[in-house]
Structure formats: structure tokens, C-alpha cells
Amino acid sequence: MNNMVTGRRKVGLWLIGARGGIATCVALGLSALRRGLIDSTGLVTALPEFQKLGLVPWGDWVLGGHEIRSTHLLDEAQDFARTNRTFDSEFVESLRSELEDVETRIRPGTVSGASPIITGLTGPEVPKNESPGEAVTRIRDDLESFRRKNELDHVVVVNVASTEPPVDAEKFPTRYDEFEAQLQRSPEGWLPPSALYAIAAMQAGCSYVNFTPSLGCNLPALDELARLQKVAYMGCDGKTGETLLKTVLAPMFRARNLRVLSWVGHNIFGNLDGKILDTPSHKQSKVATKDRVLAEILGYKPATVVTIEYLEDLGDWKTAWDHVHFSGFLGVPMVLQVIWQGCDSILAAPLVLDLARLTERAVRSGHVGLMPFLACFFKSPHGTKEHDFGKQFAQLMSWVDGLIAGGG
Amino acid sequence: MNNMVTGRRKVGLWLIGARGGIATCVALGLSALRRGLIDSTGLVTALPEFQKLGLVPWGDWVLGGHEIRSTHLLDEAQDFARTNRTFDSEFVESLRSELEDVETRIRPGTVSGASPIITGLTGPEVPKNESPGEAVTRIRDDLESFRRKNELDHVVVVNVASTEPPVDAEKFPTRYDEFEAQLQRSPEGWLPPSALYAIAAMQAGCSYVNFTPSLGCNLPALDELARLQKVAYMGCDGKTGETLLKTVLAPMFRARNLRVLSWVGHNIFGNLDGKILDTPSHKQSKVATKDRVLAEILGYKPATVVTIEYLEDLGDWKTAWDHVHFSGFLGVPMVLQVIWQGCDSILAAPLVLDLARLTERAVRSGHVGLMPFLACFFKSPHGTKEHDFGKQFAQLMSWVDGLIAGGG
Amino acid sequence: MNNMVTGRRKVGLWLIGARGGIATCVALGLSALRRGLIDSTGLVTALPEFQKLGLVPWGDWVLGGHEIRSTHLLDEAQDFARTNRTFDSEFVESLRSELEDVETRIRPGTVSGASPIITGLTGPEVPKNESPGEAVTRIRDDLESFRRKNELDHVVVVNVASTEPPVDAEKFPTRYDEFEAQLQRSPEGWLPPSALYAIAAMQAGCSYVNFTPSLGCNLPALDELARLQKVAYMGCDGKTGETLLKTVLAPMFRARNLRVLSWVGHNIFGNLDGKILDTPSHKQSKVATKDRVLAEILGYKPATVVTIEYLEDLGDWKTAWDHVHFSGFLGVPMVLQVIWQGCDSILAAPLVLDLARLTERAVRSGHVGLMPFLACFFKSPHGTKEHDFGKQFAQLMSWVDGLIAGGG
Amino acid sequence: MNNMVTGRRKVGLWLIGARGGIATCVALGLSALRRGLIDSTGLVTALPEFQKLGLVPWGDWVLGGHEIRSTHLLDEAQDFARTNRTFDSEFVESLRSELEDVETRIRPGTVSGASPIITGLTGPEVPKNESPGEAVTRIRDDLESFRRKNELDHVVVVNVASTEPPVDAEKFPTRYDEFEAQLQRSPEGWLPPSALYAIAAMQAGCSYVNFTPSLGCNLPALDELARLQKVAYMGCDGKTGETLLKTVLAPMFRARNLRVLSWVGHNIFGNLDGKILDTPSHKQSKVATKDRVLAEILGYKPATVVTIEYLEDLGDWKTAWDHVHFSGFLGVPMVLQVIWQGCDSILAAPLVLDLARLTERAVRSGHVGLMPFLACFFKSPHGTKEHDFGKQFAQLMSWVDGLIAGGG
């Protein structure tokens, strides 16, 4: 392959939820980076620390994905701009040809095992009543075709689809051969879509990153599959806003021995993710992941309330009010309040690009399986109990420094 | 000395500003800790990490200090409780005998070189028109007498007096012999009180910690003196509230490559420190120290505003509103706002106790001179440019772990 | 009666929930007013506008009430002070004899028809399994005895007990004779306690004010009873904090033709009322009353979220965060956020005293039945759709001015 | 004139500061209203209460103005949209022809008597060293020409230029004939531009509204001139954001007899007005007008701090944090905090349109001189001490109702 000859790698980023808010911002951002229309603000891998790591430049990434809704990326981008006043319609228009190009690489996703609120969003091109086995085969074929047609050295699949209801991971076989056998003979509903995508990705030799709190790759059998296939994986749930703040502020209370009495976090926003989360079963996954970090950082469980409310008028602007009631010396109670007004997809998109780049780099260096050194990107990082953002970032830096030093 | 025989150390904590808000809370807290009336919330050295360090227990500390105002510690404590509703008058009353005991060890301070707003607070027992040399001699005598009478192994002097106007440190001789010579022949005004106390402390063999942004020990000649006298020192300006938050939040923006456009911090409070800071020349020292940290953490200077306003009705309750305007991916501006409602002296007091304990421990392990490993306690830590609170705390942990491992 | 001879009136205030947070603050406040220990801050009727109205002075009010919990007013007051740091224990102690005096006039309440969370709080002195008829008779006897023993010219009963679940008021007879007949033969559960107290009060010739969102006097049959008995009544749900703000801010948006897109209100607090409201059926009554006001002021219904969360550590300090997303000229969206940190019982107590005084004055002037001119005190004022606080206050002023002018 | 025949009036709105932020939004808004591109949100006169008043419809208004900077309205509009993300560039582009049309009616303003920071902004087309007399003559000629060419029945001049430093109004003659005589012989600097425009406007038979805290029409001599010329006038300083909130919230504290201990208001923003206000002498006018309202509503003067800080990155988005510390019953202190995030020019623009419409209507009904019934639009309304927004709005409604009833 010519990539090998030239030493230059051409790689793929495949998004599950390819016309959603995050994916739209990824597509806009990747196109704008290539065209030099924006600077690298928001991209962790653009920091000086990462410059000697030999990451694949933005120009060598090809974008594609699966999507269940019948829309167009360009319309989604215009809608996003209009609703959220994040950028001008002219800016979106100037990237029309790039977005239309990405659009040609978006394939119908699967709703095999999805909840009614998700299947209700589906376009006619999405197959109905797919069994888990059929879904995995079809998705895997799409991924292999994407890699072959675009002559890609590696593909990273990132799940940026809506949050699914919680699933009891204990009920699945832990050995991959048993798991695969059950998958083939089980009816629709045995596994949620996020896991079907993860299996298909790994079978196709792609790495997989779960940016949502859905099940995804979080199964022992899939860890075995990843090692068999020599791919990397990580999750779950991108740490973009309020939870990022919690994992930055809670260590301060811990280090000062200030006792957190209660920590209340109210989140309001109005994008599609928020609409799905308005369904109680879906919301449960999210609240759990947002709530867990405090006890693990503080070493005790303060009273907590976490709410996520859907208010359509707020669009992608997630506003969070956190009220922290804590006790200081001599038992004196005090208060810290934080108000976060962030555009959720804009915060998430660069992290998706960073994760794709870092995952590709890990695989290139020979890493297989779980990537706990990427913990700083996740609300519920697999394979680690470290939630302190500063320490997580230091761990990432250690891995980076090791690679640079070792020439990996 | 019997301390040597038993292996148990008896040590002194000497406060400059011994009846001020912080000192009052230190006296109440130390008494209450000894009597088992409060738990150790707010004390960093009560964290598990410090338990093998062999720190001097609270029962073995003797408290004394210098003060320029003619009040009584018990009245100050009752006033503090009444004004700030931090604890009940009964609680203060229950510690009456302890506070009266401390009161016997409070000596008249010096206002040699102080500004008019400070000298205006002075009681009749405080000498007028002291020359720098006279002041140093008198203070040193007080400290030596304190140590001798109480049979103390070591004394740590901590400056918790009001903030002084900025002083140009460049104008002083850098060699101690020249400095001392000039000191002896200079009239009142050559040095501000905070530095006179520092010199007297070191001459008396005491360590010195500057918890304020005043000049204090921040002079090359005093570094030489500290080494000659084999004492330790550190400063400056205790990091208790809004600046603590800045040094916790700014690293997050840096690590996520989010560009801070402007950072506005408005502080309002009404204690005596606030009243003194209401004088523009005094305020200048404080604003500088609060403002500097951002550029050093971020690597660039965002637009900043820092105000400190005196509102008598707020008492010791310092409320700070921080508004951070930052830019994310694709140039989208977002906002983080933080509201801090903390009782300033209550936040400071345990850190003073921690610093005394850690300084004594450093000296006992043979450390002399500057203690940059204590940076996490200060807004403007001497001897380091590291302002990231997480990294500062990690440095403290390294020092602690080294001492424990080395049996220092 | 000697009151008639002297022209001086002696009147009674009877509280349902007589040892709860509000009642405790009423007892403390009334005692302190009499003793001249506090000024009149927080009392509406202390404003200059009310000074010619001939209101009964605080010294001529006698306090009593019903309570279902077996505690003591003095303990409740000490607990309240300790938990909420509102006043010093010395202050409470100084009012010991007054509180003990009130305590002698507190009688066991009824839990006939109460929900399990309420009956679970009951002391042994409270009768079990009272039928509605028995409860009314017993309560009425208590009220008549209170009036007789204390030689009172009039008694105002104010309900400050915990919020009850919503009740369908439609199911009750609208004529009082039919209502009374059903009451006598119905088993426990036919009516909630708040209504039993209202009936008993009116039967005993007392006026009744419902400071909670419970059913209380809000029944057509009770309106008839009030007129028969020549007493006055009003409700419901005291407007103390967040809703007060809503009815002050919403008229501004309306008058400036700014379109409210969404109004989110999150309330957190930790007193007994909050604990009861943590039971979903009870919370429903409160959320409804807090949510309704916006649509009636604005003339359209914006998206709204109202939450009330119980966090024990916050005690009586109700903190509310309101986020108002609104659209201005040219369709530009903007944001107003309000954070309210108020001590709920302290806000409510003076309004209870004001309502007692104004109700007594209304009855004295010959007013019977509903008192819509008191709307400014209530979240859901009976007999009016006016929720704009400014207009409600103007209506109160009209009534006051009318009385003063007419010599009523 | 054909206007008289048809009964339809054609009227003019002339803006001082015709290419500034407010004027740009007025031009965009008026154009968009005519074209039916926006609804009437933000316009007070679009409320149902005003519909029978016979106000001049938006289609019958002609826009013009004076400006000292050499820019173009279209560029200003595009810059405004880009900087503040208030509307899309496509929206501005769709109004290109309307804006170009307004541009033809913008004339060079005067900087006679302006401060250096203002004269530094001046384009070459603006005359240098104009004496007051020359400036008035030139401006008056412009206004008369505007009216004549466009066959206007009446013209309302509104000052939306930058805030000027305070002027001592006492030093000017109070009789118009003396004032005029002095004007003619005085050198540049005798009067600031805002007053020169007011004189010229009145001399030309135009009404004048001062939307800024500058001197403008606030002189006894000009009151006489207005009556002579049968024109109306009003000021000063449009009440758009933080001060509007103060005049809505302060009456609540007053009506509840809650004692405001301190009220702190910090304002940050980055538009041209903010840049000018960053000059201390200019800022003084603004702070005074923002600070005065509280004492007049509350009846006493609480401690206050008002700051206005220029932060370029915030553009037209004025963010204000208000911290209100107040005391309730039993002396318990509580806190209300308000955060306002409003786009200043977008808030101001519809009020300018409302004021023009209402002023024209007042003149048409025979009103001359001061218009105190418009107080609700101003921070420092001339001719009234009423600052309570609700009462001010009620006064406006009385005037409206009077006109409708009287057929004026």
C-alpha cells in the first residue's frame, strides 16, 4: 500500500450518530481545520506537550459514520448554527462541499435493540427488526468497505449517539466465544445498539471509543475480542462540562480537608440528547455517571442531587448550576456556587477528534485493549478509579512522555 | 532540657496581629482542638497522608503574639461570633480560660514604618517613633522571652497582620551584613513592620511565615540571615478563597486548550483587613497577588479585572464573583461563573496551624531557608512559578513522602 | 368585658403547627417585640402606611396553638438557632419564660385524615382514629377555651403546618348544611386536617388564614360558614421567597414586552417542611402553586421547571436558583439568573403576624368572608387572579387607605 | 401637505450617534419591522394596552441622524452581528438596501465641547473648532432639511451617543434669552455636544429625548425653549438592564420591610459605550445615575458599590452581578444575587422606537415641555422622584388611558 511506502498514514474516523450535534461539529471542525479557517482552540492534542508525538495531521483523516435519522449534514449544520448562534450561516456555507463529501460516507445505522423513543426517530432507509447477528454483519461490512475504499491504515469508531437506558452487564457471557455464539442466535433486544456497533467495529479491526454512558464496549467479552483483534478501546461518557468542573473542584475540597455537606447540580439544555434524556430510563444512565465521581474523589458520600432537564429553547447551550455546601474549620458552613454556560456539542467535538488521534497513536505504538491513560476525557473512565482531573491529565502526560522518550 | 529527655517536643506559635480575625480563630480553634470540642475539618495536616509524619500534636503548641490594638482576645472572639454568626456565644464562653491564658502572652507590636491608617489603630502601650533597630531589638527580646519561659524547642512566627502598601525590595542591600548595618542607623520608615518582625524572628532563632502580601521575609538579605540562623521561612499571602479557586480552575482551561478571553473577579467583604485594603496603597499589594496567577498558569495574559471592595455589613464573609469568558472549538465563546461565600478568617486559621506544624517539621528534619514545597498555601509562593494548585499539592506530597521514607 | 370599657382589645393568635419552624419564629419574634429586643424589620404592618390603621399592638396578642409532635417550644427554638445560625443561644435563653408561657397554651392537634408521613411524627398525646366530627369538636373546644380563659375579643387561627397532598375540592357539597351533615357521618379520611381546623375555627367564631398550599378553607361550603359566623378568612400559601421574586420579576418582562422562553426554578432546603415535601404527593401541592403565577402574569405559558429538593444540611436556609431565558428585540435571546438565599421561617414569621393583625382589623371593621385585599401575602390568593406583587400591594394600600379615610 | 389630506402622518426619528450600537439596532429593527421579518418582541408600544392609542405605524417613520465617526451603517451592522452573535450575516444582508437608504440621511455630527476621547474618534468630515453657535446653526439646518425633504409632520431627536462627563448645570442662565445670548458669544467648550443638539432640535421644532446620562435638555432655559417652540422633551438615561432590575427589586424589599444592608452592582461589557465609560470622567455620570435610585425607593441609603468595567471581549453583552445583603425579621441577614446577561443595544433599541412613537403622540395631543409620564423608560427621569418601575408603568398607563378616553 502506498501509505506504507511514503510513511504517511491515512486514517478514518467513523461516528455512530453521524448527523447528530457532536458529529456535525466534528465535521465542521475537521473541515475548517483543514482549510485553515479556525485555530486549534479546544483541541487538547494541539497543546505543546503533544507536538512531538507524531499524531496524524487533520488533513489525513477521512470522516464517515452511521446515522438512523433521514437528514442531511449540511441542514443539520445550518440548523445548529441558527439555533445556537455559534457561528454564521456564511461559515457553514463556505464548508458546503466538505460536508457534502462527508455525507456520501454516512450509512444507515441500526436500531436493533433500541428503545421506542429512538426507533421513533428512524428514517425508512434503516432496516427494521434486525437481529443482533444481522446488525453486526451489516455494520461490519460498512466499516470494511469504508476502510477499503479510502485505503485507510486504521479506523477509529466513536459512539456519539444518544444515551441508552442502563443495561445489566452481568448477564452476558464473559468469554468471547460464548458471547459470539449467543449473539448469533439471540433475537432483537439481546444487546443495545451501542454494543452491536462496538462488536462490529472490533471484528472489522477498528478501535472503538464510547463517548456516551451507553453500554458500548464495557463487557469482558469485548475486552477479549479487542485483544484478539489487536485494537484499542475506551469509554465511557465524554467529560465536557459540569462533571469536568466537579472533578476539578472536588479535589480542592479534599486537599483542603473541607467537608462537602451537599453538592447539588442542576443541568438544563435543549438538544436532541436532552430530549432523549428526558425519558426517565435513558436519564438514569446519565445521572449515575455524573453523580459517582464525587464520592470517589472525596472518600465519602455527601448528599447529592443531580437533575438534567430538557428545555427546548436552550438548544445545545447546557447551563448547569452547582451549589456546594461545605463545612470549614470550627464547623462553619460555607457555599460555593458554579454556573456553567457551555455549548455541549462544541465542547465535545474537539475531544472526539483528540480521542481519535490518540487512539490511532496508541494502536500504532502497539497498544491493544483498554486505554486507561485516556481517563481525563471521560466521566466514567473504564479501568481506573481515578476521577481527579489533574491527576488524570498527569497520567495522560506520562503516557505521552513515555511514547516520546521510547520512540514508540 | 526535659523535652529532650522525653523525646516530646513543646513548640510555640507566635502570631503578628494576635487579636485580629485570623489570630482569634487560631486561638479558638487550637483551644477547641485540645479540648476535643471540634473535629479536624479544614486542617490539611489532619489528612491521612500526613499521619506518619510525626507532626507535633495540638496539645504541645503554646500560642502568643504581638498586637498593636488595645483589645482583648475574648472580646474579639465574642465580636467575631456575633458579627459573623459562625459559632455560638456559648462556644466562645466555654473557651474563656484558654483565651485568657493566651491573652497573657500577647505583647505590644510595633508600628515603626507603618502607614497612618495602621498607626491610627494603635493603643497607648505601643511605643511611638521606634527606629527600625529599636523595634527589632524589642521584638526579638519578646520572642526570646516567650521561648525561654515556656521552654519551647522551636517557635514559628506567622504574620497575620493587615496588608501593607507595596515596597520596592530592590532598594535594600542584598548582603546581610550591609543590610544589618543600614538597619541599625536608619530612621523609622526604612522598613515596614512586617520585615522588622521577620528580622527579629530570625535573629531570635525562630522560623517565619508570611501569610500576607506584605514585604515580610521577601528580601535576599533575609534569606542569608535564615541560613545563618538555621531557620526556615516562606510566603507570601495565604491562598484561602477566590485565588485558590483560580489556581484550581485555570489549569482546567489550560489542559482543555480553552482560551480564556477575560477573567473578572469581584471581591466584597467587611472585616478589618477589608477596611485597611480600602486604602488604595494597601489594596495595590493584594490586587497584584490575586491577578498574577492566571498568566502564569495559562501561558498568556487574558483581560482581567480584580476588585476588592469593603462593605462593613458583610463582616468576615468574603463573597467573590468570578466571571470567566472563554473561547472553545470553532471560536464559540462560553461563560463560567463562580460565586464563593466563605468566612475568610475561618478559612485562613487552619492553614496557619498547618503551616506552623509543617515548618516546625521541616526545621526538625534539618531544612533551612526557603520552603517552596509549601507553595500550595500561598497566592504568591516564593521560590517557584508553579501556581497550579493540584501540582503544588503534589509537590507537598512529594516532600511528605520523602520525609516519611527517609525517616527525616 | 373590660376590653370594651377600656377600648383596648386583647386578641389571640392560634397557630396550627405550633412548634414548627414558622411558629417558633413567631413565638420568638412576638416575645422579642414585646420586650423591645428587636426592631420591626420584616413586618409589613410596621411600615409608615399602616400607622394610622389602629392595629392591635404586639403586647395585646396572646399566642397558642395545636401541634402533633411531642417537643417543647424552647428546645425547638434552641435547635433552630443552632441549626440555622440565625441568632445566638443567649437570645433564645433570654426569652425562656415567654416561650414556656406559650408552651402552656399548646394543645394536641389532630391527624385525622393525615397521610402516613405526618401520622408518623405524632406524639402519644395526639388521639388516634379520630373521625372528622370528633376532631372538629375537640379542636373547637380548644379554641373556645383559649378565648374564654384569656378573655380575648377575637382569635385568628393561622395554619403553618406541613403541606398536605392535593385534594379534589369538587367532590364536597357546596352548601354548608349538606357539608356539615356529611362531615358528621364520614369516617376518618373524608377531609384532611387543614380543613378540619378551618371548620372548627369558624365554628368557634375565629377567623382563619391558610399560610400553606393545603386545602384549608378553600371550599364553597366554608365560605358560607364564614359568612354565617361573621368571621374572615384567606389563603393560600405564604409568598415568602422564590415565588415572591417571580411575581416581582415577571411583570417587568411583561411590561417590557420581553418574551420569556423558559423559567426554571430549583429550590433546595432542609427543614421539616422540606422533608415532608420530599414525599411526591405532598410536593405536588407546592409545585403547582409555585408554577401557576407565571402564566397568569405573562399572559402565555413559557416552558417551566420547578423543583423542590430536600437537603438536610441546608436546614431552614432555602436557596433557589432561577434561570430565565427570554427573547428581546430582533429575536435575541438573553438570560436573567437569580439566586435567593433566605431563611424560610424567618421570612414567613412576620407575615403571619401581619396577617393576624390585618385580619383582626378587617373583622373589627365589619368585614366578613374572603379577604382578597391580602393577596400580596399569598402564592395562590383566593378570590383574585392578580399575581403581580406591585399591583397586589397597591390593592392592600387601597384597603388601608379606605379604612383610614372611612374611620372603619 | 398631503399628510393632512389623508390624515396619515409621516414622521421622523433622528438619532444622535447614528452609526453606534443602539442606532444600528434601531435601523435594523425598524427596517425588519416594515418588512415583516421580525415580531414586535421588546417593543413596549406593541403591548395590547397601546393599540387604541393611534400611534404612527412603523412604515411611516423616516430615520436619519448625526454621527461623528466615518463608518458605514451596513459595516456597523455586520460588525455588530459578528461580534455579538445576535443575528446572522444573512439577516443583515437582506436589509442592505434599507440600511443604505438610512445611510444617505446621516450627517456629520459636532464635537464642539467634546472631551478628547470623543474627538479622537472623529472622521475628517466633522468640523473642527466649531463654536457653540456655529454648531447649533449647522445642526438645526440639518434637521430642518431632513424634515423638509421628507415632508415630515414631526421629528423626534433621540440622543444615543456616548456618555459625556458630568457638567454643573447650575452655572448656566435659567432664562432662555440670556442663555441664547451667552451661547452665541461663547467659545467652544461652554456646552457639551448633547446640549447643543438639544437646542438645535428645539429651535428646529423637533422634540428631544435624552437616552444617555449626558446633560442634553436638562437645563431650565431649555424647558422654556421647549414651551416656546411647542415641542416635548424627556430624559435621561435609558433604563435597560441592571438599573431596571434595581427599580423592580428594591420596591419588593421596601414593601416587605426587609432592610437592605448593602447593594453591590458590578457591570462588565465591551462595546464603544463601555470604552468611553472606561474614562473616569465619563464613567462618573453613569455610576451616579445607576446608584441614585436605591435610596429614593428605599427611603434610606444602604451601602452601595457600582462598578462599570470595560472588557472588549464581551462586546455588547452587558453582564451585571448584583449582590443584595439584607436583614429580615429578628435581625437575620440574607442574600439575593442577580446575574443579568443582556445585549445592551438590543435592549435599548426598541425603547428608542417606543419613545419616538410616544413623544410624537404626546405632541400630537397638544402636550408641550417635559413628559414625566415616560419615567419608566429612564434611570434618572426628569420631573419625578418616582423610581419604582411598577408605579412608573402605572403612570404611563394612566396617561395612555387618559388619551384614549379623552380622544386626545
Side-chain angles (χ1 to χ4, degrees), chain D residues 225-297:
Chain D
L225 176 60
R227 293 171 188 282
L228 287 170
Q229 293 289 93
K230 303 204 183 314
V231 297
Y233 74 95
M234 187 59 183
C236 72
D237 206 5
K239 184 155 80 170
T240 55
E242 190 219 13
T243 307
L244 175 62
L245 278 168
K246 279 184 177 168
T247 64
V248 162
L249 291 168
M252 176 189 81
F253 289 103
R254 202 276 169 199
R256 282 292 200 236
N257 201 9
L258 299 166
R259 186 159 190 91
V260 176
L261 303 171
S262 64
W263 195 308
V264 172
H266 286 295
N267 297 268
I268 51 177
F269 70 133
N271 61 19
L272 182 60
D273 189 28
K275 200 167 182 175
I276 301 301
L277 286 173
D278 219 31
T279 310
S281 62
H282 292 251
K283 189 183 288 191
Q284 204 182 327
S285 303
K286 196 78 178 186
V287 168
T289 187
K290 290 177 82 77
D291 202 16
R292 194 179 302 143
V293 299
L294 288 179
E296 290 184 6
I297 293 173

Side-chain angles (χ1 to χ4, degrees), chain B residues 45-109:
Chain B
T45 54
L47 288 170
E49 293 90 320
F50 295 83
Q51 296 325 302
K52 292 190 178 160
L53 199 55
L55 296 171
V56 175
W58 302 121
D60 296 340
W61 285 88
V62 181
L63 194 60
H66 282 109
E67 171 62 55
I68 58 163
R69 293 175 306 130
S70 301
T71 62
H72 287 273
L73 200 49
L74 192 70
D75 294 343
E76 291 287 320
Q78 287 290 12
D79 271 3
F80 189 92
R82 202 163 20 240
T83 305
N84 301 306
R85 292 157 192 267
T86 40
F87 20 79
D88 205 272
S89 61
E90 268 184 20
F91 173 75
V92 176
E93 191 54 38
S94 73
L95 297 168
R96 170 185 280 270
S97 66
E98 282 86 349
L99 296 179
E100 285 176 344
D101 181 49
V102 175
E103 184 66 49
T104 64
R105 293 187 295 274
I106 298 181
R107 304 279 306 141

Side-chain angles (χ1 to χ4, degrees), chain C residues 8-47:
Chain C
R8 181 163 168 193
R9 294 174 66 84
K10 195 174 162 202
V11 288
L13 169 55
W14 188 268
L15 299 176
I16 314 303
R19 295 191 199 98
I22 298 179
T24 301
C25 293
V26 167
L28 281 167
L30 188 56
S31 307
L33 283 166
R34 275 183 194 149
R35 293 263 304 276
L37 301 181
I38 57 169
D39 67 21
S40 61
T41 298
L43 288 156
V44 175
T45 55
L47 288 171

